[in-house]
Amino acid sequence: MLSHYSYDIAHLIGATVLMAGFALLYQRRLQAVLNTFAFQALALAAAAGWQAHVQNAPHLWVTAGIALVFKAILVPFALHWLVKELGIHRAVETALSIGWTMIVGVALVALSIMLVLPVTANAAALTRESLALAMSVVLLGLLMMITRHNAVTQVVGFMALENGLILAAVSAKGMPLVVEISVAFSVLVAMTLFGIFFFRIRERFDSLDLQYLETHRGDR
Amino acid sequence: MTMAMLWQVLHILLIVALAPLVTGWVRLVKSRLNGRCGPSPLQPYRDLFRLLQKESVVAHSASWVFRAAPYITFAAIWLAACAVPTFTLNMALVPAADLIAVVALLGLARFWTALAGMDVGTSFGGLGSSREMLIASLAEPAMLMVTFSLSLLSGSTSPARIMMFVLSGNIGLSVSLGLALVALIMVALAETGRIPIDNPATHLELTMVHEAMLLEYSGRHLAMMDMAAMVRLLLFLALIGGVFLPFGIGLPGGGPAQAAVGLAAFLARTFALASLMAVFETSIAKMRVFRYADFLGGALLLGLLATIFHYVSEAV
Amino acid sequence: MPVLIPEAANPLFWILAFPLGGAGFLAVLPSWRQAAIVNVAISIGTFIGSLALVAHRPEATRLFFIDDFNVYLVLLTAFVGVTTAVFSAAYIGREVRARRLNAMRLRFYHSMYQAFLFTMLLALTANNTGVMWVAIEAATLATVLLVSLYRTKEAIEAAWKYFILCSVGIGLALFGTILVYLAAQPVMGDGPDAMAWTLMIGRAAEFQPDLLNLAFVFLLVGYGTKVGLAPLHAWLPDAHAEGPTPISAVLSGVLLNVALYAILRFKMLIAANGHTLTPGPLMVTMGLSSLFLSAFMLYRRGDIKRLFAYSSIEHMGVITFAFGMGGPVANFAGLLHMTMHLLTKSAVFFAVGIIAQNAGTKHIGDIRGLTVSHPFIGWGFLVSVLAIAGLPPMGVFMSEFLVLSSTFARDPLLAAPLALGLLLAFGALISRASQMAFGTPLARPTLYGRESPMVMTFVYTAFALHIIPVMVAGLYLPPDLVRWFQSVAKMLG
């Protein structure tokens, strides 16, 4: 039986993830975007940990750990390094001005609340709240992907969308495979990021391309 | 009834007496954080006293607006501060107090200051006035949004009733309240002219907002204007502290002992908040003017979200 | 419910273990020639396993199950896996000769090919909706890396677009999956039961309809991105054009079908619950818009692979339209079309791959007179394009005819745009194909060299094995298949 305070704390952590989503839309500098994303991942880890505690589901601790280590530490660090190495332009180019983006963001939050709350009348209060928050985070991540030109900010938007999904998954009481899903998502992001960005690094630095070496070796 | 009147009068005097000390304290903390010795916290009193004794020099091109503005500004802000409880909720004017009226009075004060800035016809005065109005056009709706969500939460627009509601403990860890807090802090920074909106210690006219409007003032006029700014700072600190951390405040029907406890609590939280503000000001830089819209737009949207989340909690 | 992982006597174990083990083995095999042969061998093993599966269906567990819907799709996927592996063996030999691929990338390619087949089979046989999602997501990952195999600027751009769009789609599909779990949870309790499709379908009538509606919208948009429904199709033409041709063949044939299969599984849940909004109109709209958009785009394509990518979008649109219409005939037509399209489109891509290598270019304007220079593949190409365009009496025509007639019977106003779209596409494909097949051939560059006749015979056999059933299907369908289709059509509502 959830006490009033445990419900409030879950609500608070979920709202922090959402606020971090708004903060992502607000930033004008690339490094600030990456730091804000790290903060959102941290809040997500807290949410997963809290749900693990409240639902008595130990596998959610693993999800919290993944969110913490991978998304709050490794990915921002790696992206910072990439931005420096590739000399990517440090200002965020937006398709829509930041003010309008925020207004659309609030409209999306209102939309998701209006959609989710009537439909989930039978579910537990904690789940409904977190689902509404999670859907808002997903929509904000989508908004960020749509309104940003730069590849790095698009990837951050996608990972923010993913944060929303993990938030929804940990809030759904007793859902199995949450760990597997979060691992799958993380692998997707990691491999694609590094597969594609790595190629760009090689292209830029014009470095050791083995194919050319093989041609000149006289071998077939 | 007489107790209530007594507390009200004491409250009115306390505000005026304490405001320069709070400002001095903020300046001291900032100096220490910058590695300097810093002036004594009583320095603002000495400055005010000095200014009151000096002759007030007025430009040829100034009109009656220029001469009247300091008094109107100070009166409006002092009156607004009277409505915000500090050490006790048992005050005579509580039934008439209204957060919306506070916003209106602050707006009135700002209007007259801006007029005075433009009155003499200097370019820096106009610069300051236009910037101040830009900030106001964004900050006032945000403040009203915060008022709206606070009053939805507590069922009243009176600051005293809001504080009573928060004290009663019905609220729990409300997200709505948290968002309203962040929004109110952002609005307070804008209204009181602190970093990141405006640098109160700047000497460069092109970076000024509030100071630019006061450039032509001297003597007792300047003293009134400075005093108004200090009281405005105290007003916001009392509002934030009282609504979000109202512990220890004297309740209606309480006696002198409760009021004393309330006073101690009020002093503690006001100086704590002032120190936090000083630390915050030292750690970030002033933002560029064209980012004001983003910042205050963010405050407005946070206020809007606070209202939305209130309905979410209601529906669940 | 018995054990979760199928044991060794179970054919399900073999069809999953073969590709997975194969992926690992091929990752370490250094010689690409051996790898190509091993690839074919593993695919044959998987195919034999799927035949065994048809003969003897294992019992459903919470993670895996086989019923009428996925048994023939598993069989077809394994079959296409074998034939494409044969084609790939011939194709990559010539690519290596043209210096477009090297040994390291080919190791990765073969390994990912088998990994992709594994994820497709996993998605088809999964009972748990979460496992199905993970499988489709892993398939996205495998194919993104494969599309960018050539490492040209266009390939990287195509892979990036594919990644961004399909990942968003996958994310939305996950949200839909979570919502379905939330709908099932009050009725079936916490835990894996609420994600097992076979258990959910029995009690779907008790789920909350509003939640199912919302979930289906997310699922349709999410998985629909992977099917290539307009307006979410922007990744498809580039991904098909820039990846290696065998990958285009399996993408077009298999992945689009599996994504549609996922949507249809959820549609069955919706149909089982009487109070939900019918998803028909939404699917019909998306299907028609895909059809029209691609039909118009077909006229101006200059790149041969892009042409057939748009043709895939068109056919997926028709299939979605058919399932949107609903009812036994339209559903039957949709299922038949899925099968025919899979066979025909892969065959088309085989032919396109060989033609592009022979001509040294992918540009349609530079390809002429195929029937003169390469008679077998030229005529084969023409026949397969006629099949995909919907010429009678081939299988695709049969399914399109069924869709049209059932639409005309139920809603004549919709039949007109459907017929128009089909005719437009028909016209475009015929004109392009005849332009390439007839006329005098241009000079043949020898960049890609010639493959040995023995290998080419295998490829031609694989091609024929695809086309002949399509040609026959217009006149005769095996009764088992008809029975399966009818039972699935009933479940789809």
Side-chain angles (χ1 to χ4, degrees), chain C residues 79-122:
Chain C
F79 177 65
V80 172
V82 175
T83 48
T84 313
V86 170
F87 166 65
S88 152
Y91 180 82
I92 56 166
R94 299 171 83 184
E95 291 287 302
V96 169
R97 214 164 291 141
R99 299 242 173 268
R100 290 186 70 198
L101 288 173
N102 62 11
M104 186 54 117
R105 287 200 209 148
L106 282 173
R107 255 209 287 195
F108 180 73
Y109 166 80
H110 283 120
S111 167
M112 279 292 123
Y113 181 87
Q114 285 299 331
F116 173 70
L117 280 180
F118 166 71
T119 58
M120 288 287 94
L121 291 168
L122 185 63

Side-chain angles (χ1 to χ4, degrees), chain C residues 7-322:
Chain C
E7 50 326 308
N10 191 337
L12 203 50
F13 175 73
W14 292 110
I15 64 165
L16 290 176
F18 257 123
L20 188 59
F25 181 60
L26 285 167
V28 295
L29 196 62
S31 154
W32 60 266
R33 290 180 213 274
Q34 289 175 350
I37 299 175
V38 170
N39 196 16
V40 175
I42 295 173
S43 309
I44 291 179
T46 315
F47 180 60
I48 295 176
S50 65
L51 284 174
L53 201 67
V54 172
H56 155 68
R57 288 187 200 178
E59 220 184 288
T61 68
R62 268 205 205 85
L63 281 185
F64 302 103
F65 79 118
I66 299 285
D67 72 350
D68 287 339
F69 194 6
N70 57 14
V71 70
Y72 80 92
L73 279 175
V74 167
L75 185 64
L76 281 173
T77 307
F79 177 65
V80 172
V82 175
T83 48
T84 313
V86 170
F87 166 65
S88 152
Y91 180 82
I92 56 166
R94 299 171 83 184
E95 291 287 302
V96 169
R97 214 164 291 141
R99 299 242 173 268
R100 290 186 70 198
L101 288 173
N102 62 11
M104 186 54 117
R105 287 200 209 148
L106 282 173
R107 255 209 287 195
F108 180 73
Y109 166 80
H110 283 120
S111 167
M112 279 292 123
Y113 181 87
Q114 285 299 331
F116 173 70
L117 280 180
F118 166 71
T119 58
M120 288 287 94
L121 291 168
L122 185 63
L124 283 173
T125 55
N127 194 359
N128 185 314
T129 48
V131 171
M132 181 165 69
W133 181 86
V134 170
I136 296 186
E137 189 254 4
T140 310
L141 175 61
T143 41
V144 163
L145 295 172
L146 283 173
V147 164
S148 63
L149 194 70
Y150 284 128
R151 301 273 193 266
T152 61
K153 188 163 173 295
E154 295 83 13
I156 297 286
E157 297 287 339
W160 184 255
K161 218 195 282 190
Y162 182 11
F163 166 62
I164 292 284
L165 283 172
C166 282
S167 300
V168 172
I170 285 285
L172 294 176
L174 178 62
F175 197 73
T177 312
I178 295 175
L179 285 176
V180 169
Y181 170 79
L182 281 174
Q185 186 201 35
V187 174
M188 308 186 58
D190 299 342
D193 277 359
M195 289 185 86
W197 191 87
T198 43
L199 296 174
M200 286 202 282
I201 194 81
R203 305 187 64 180
E206 301 166 39
F207 295 171
Q208 201 194 358
D210 295 325
L211 200 50
L212 279 180
N213 281 335
L214 188 64
F216 190 74
V217 171
F218 273 101
L219 286 164
L220 184 59
V221 172
Y223 283 130
T225 313
K226 289 213 67 70
V227 173
L229 296 172
L232 310 157
H233 66 286
W235 60 274
L236 211 153
D238 289 323
H240 279 73
E242 301 301 333
T245 314
I247 298 304
S248 310
V250 285
L251 266 181
S252 241
V254 177
L255 184 56
L256 300 185
N257 265 355
V258 172
L260 190 60
Y261 162 85
I263 296 180
L264 290 175
R265 279 290 182 208
F266 286 105
K267 182 167 186 290
M268 289 186 195
L269 278 181
I270 298 272
N273 182 320
H275 305 286
T276 50
L277 289 175
T278 158
L282 192 56
M283 291 175 81
V284 162
T285 318
M286 287 179 97
L288 268 183
S289 54
S290 306
L291 176 60
F292 269 102
L293 189 124
S294 49
F296 281 115
M297 293 297 259
L298 281 172
Y299 279 94
R300 301 276 302 179
R301 294 305 107 206
D303 178 313
I304 191 172
K305 284 180 18 183
R306 213 169 278 259
L307 179 75
F308 290 109
Y310 275 105
S311 166
S312 291
I313 300 178
E314 177 226 331
H315 283 284
M316 281 297 145
V318 172
I319 299 174
T320 313
F321 178 90

